[in-house]
Amino acid sequence: MSDEVMYLYAVTDADLGDAEIDDMRAVDGAAVHIIAEAPVAAVVSAVDAERFSASALRRNLENLQWLEDVARAHNAVVSDLAHRRPVAPVRLATVFANTENVRALLRTRAQDFVAALDRVRGRREWAVKGFVGLTDPPSAAAGSTDTLSPGRSYLERRRAERDSHTRHIEEASTEADAIHNRLVKLTLANRRYPPQDRRLSGYRDEMVLNAAYLLPAGAEIEFRRVVDEYHEGHLRLELSGPWAPYSFATLEGDQ
Amino acid sequence: MTLAGPRDELALVDLLDRLLAGGVVLTGDITISLANVDLVHISLRALISSVSTLVEP
């Protein structure tokens, strides 16, 4: 009888103790378990085999509420751990048939996990997003359309607005590249994500920077100061973190 | 400036940036791999359409 499978959250050093995971709640409210195979340990919980089968997952990943519940539970476990110790978070919904298969993974990839943990040891991930407001009414071409017919004049005005909007975004993107390059100099690694769709993020402004940075503890004050005091051009910055090192605890061969 | 601690409500979209595109990619032995870009794409498309239905009249 095997109607439960192992959901894997993260890999950490093998000295993880039960006391550190006692109060954690996992996906579906289940308890968190440790599978240690020195020098590393996996943090897992049992999930229903039916709900986490390949076909069910395909279906469930398109269910916003399901996706949100699992994502938040996953992040709760990972970020709790990350506040105490180095972790290599695993991608959402990685499931193994049983404990022995997780052990086998830890044995065969031990050196890769150790390398990933060493990359983030004593370091934290911070995120910076850059926005450009789209509220400025473009005034381009005013007056120059006087001699045109009303219809033609309207089209010309629309075209001018569109051009001005595009220019606005281009200028902000150039500013985003510049501040990103400044931040990169303060950090050990960085990763740029595609700007989020406004329909998803709920932001009114256009996102032109969506980046993650890996910082040694000693660089955090300066990094945060630079972001905080940034008041240049069209760009507005937003800082979040510290995050568990999702963007940086990757294994060789990962993207 | 937002400082999101572990107990704060994080924006789902920020979370998904990391959970679907970051993290260690392993192939679980009974499951799909989220390394499969198409699947993530499909899932985000579903997300966008469900959010749009909520937001747009």
Side-chain angles (χ1 to χ4, degrees):
Chain A
M1 62 145 279
S2 161
D3 48 9
E4 281 187 333
V5 291
M6 287 290 141
Y7 184 111
L8 177 59
Y9 297 85
V11 173
T12 183
D13 297 322
D15 63 348
L16 176 66
D18 281 327
E20 288 181 73
I21 57 152
D22 264 357
D23 55 345
M24 286 184 190
R25 279 188 52 217
V27 168
D28 293 339
V32 175
H33 298 288
I34 301 169
I35 300 174
E37 192 72 32
V40 290
V43 176
V44 302
S45 73
V47 291
D48 183 80
E50 192 60 43
R51 287 185 64 218
F52 282 81
S53 69
S55 56
L57 271 178
R58 269 175 209 285
R59 212 169 44 245
N60 288 336
L61 283 167
E62 306 224 4
N63 175 338
L64 186 60
Q65 190 58 55
W66 186 93
L67 185 62
E68 172 158 17
D69 291 346
V70 174
R72 291 200 186 282
H74 183 106
N75 182 60
V77 171
V78 168
S79 64
D80 247 22
L81 279 170
H83 275 75
R84 306 163 201 234
R85 50 174 44 251
V87 292
V90 169
R91 189 163 292 186
L92 190 80
T94 303
V95 183
F96 290 82
N98 53 49
T99 305
E100 187 40 52
N101 290 10
V102 178
R103 282 190 191 284
L105 167 79
L106 296 182
R107 281 194 298 268
T108 51
R109 306 294 302 269
Q111 291 320 307
D112 294 332
F113 281 121
V114 169
L117 290 168
D118 284 345
R119 253 197 308 280
V120 298
R121 207 175 289 279
R123 300 161 175 181
R124 302 201 291 186
E125 175 172 337
W126 292 81
V128 177
K129 289 184 285 194
F131 299 93
V132 54
L134 296 175
T135 47
D136 314 344
S139 58
S144 66
T145 54
D146 286 355
T147 56
L148 302 174
S149 71
R152 187 67 197 282
S153 162
Y154 170 78
L155 290 177
E156 284 294 313
R157 211 162 53 238
R158 283 296 303 273
R159 196 165 60 85
E161 281 174 11
R162 219 171 36 241
D163 290 351
S164 145
H165 174 87
T166 308
R167 242 191 343 268
H168 201 58
I169 300 284
E170 279 171 3
E171 283 168 12
S173 297
T174 306
E175 289 166 15
D177 290 342
I179 184 65
H180 172 71
N181 290 334
R182 262 177 80 190
L183 294 174
V184 162
K185 291 197 177 74
L186 300 172
T187 56
L188 295 161
N190 72 88
R191 176 168 179 180
R192 282 183 84 162
Y193 290 100
Q196 293 165 356
D197 191 296
R198 267 191 293 161
R199 288 167 298 179
L200 278 181
S201 66
Y203 288 111
R204 281 179 51 237
D205 297 344
E206 194 79 29
M207 189 183 292
V208 289
L209 176 66
N210 186 15
Y213 303 90
L214 185 67
L215 273 74
E220 289 190 353
I221 290 177
E222 174 66 2
F223 180 87
R224 291 172 62 170
R225 191 189 61 77
V226 170
V227 175
D228 247 0
E229 294 178 1
Y230 182 87
H231 297 293
E232 292 166 28
H234 310 79
L235 199 62
R236 177 172 63 78
L237 297 184
E238 202 178 285
L239 176 73
S240 72
W243 289 85
Y246 288 108
S247 308
F248 303 107
T250 49
L251 301 193
E252 290 303 315
D254 284 1
Q255 286 169 344
Chain B
M1 187 176 84
T2 340
L3 277 185
R7 304 287 173 201
D8 296 344
E9 185 84 334
L10 295 167
L12 178 62
V13 62
D14 288 349
L15 212 49
L16 292 180
D17 269 350
R18 286 163 177 77
L19 292 179
L20 296 177
V24 172
V25 181
L26 301 166
T27 310
D29 42 15
I30 61 156
T31 187
I32 53 170
S33 165
L34 285 188
N36 183 337
V37 176
D38 281 351
L39 185 64
V40 172
H41 186 75
I42 290 169
S43 149
L44 288 181
R45 207 174 53 216
L47 247 166
I48 289 176
S49 57
S50 47
V51 173
S52 318
T53 355
L54 295 177
V55 175
E56 285 162 16

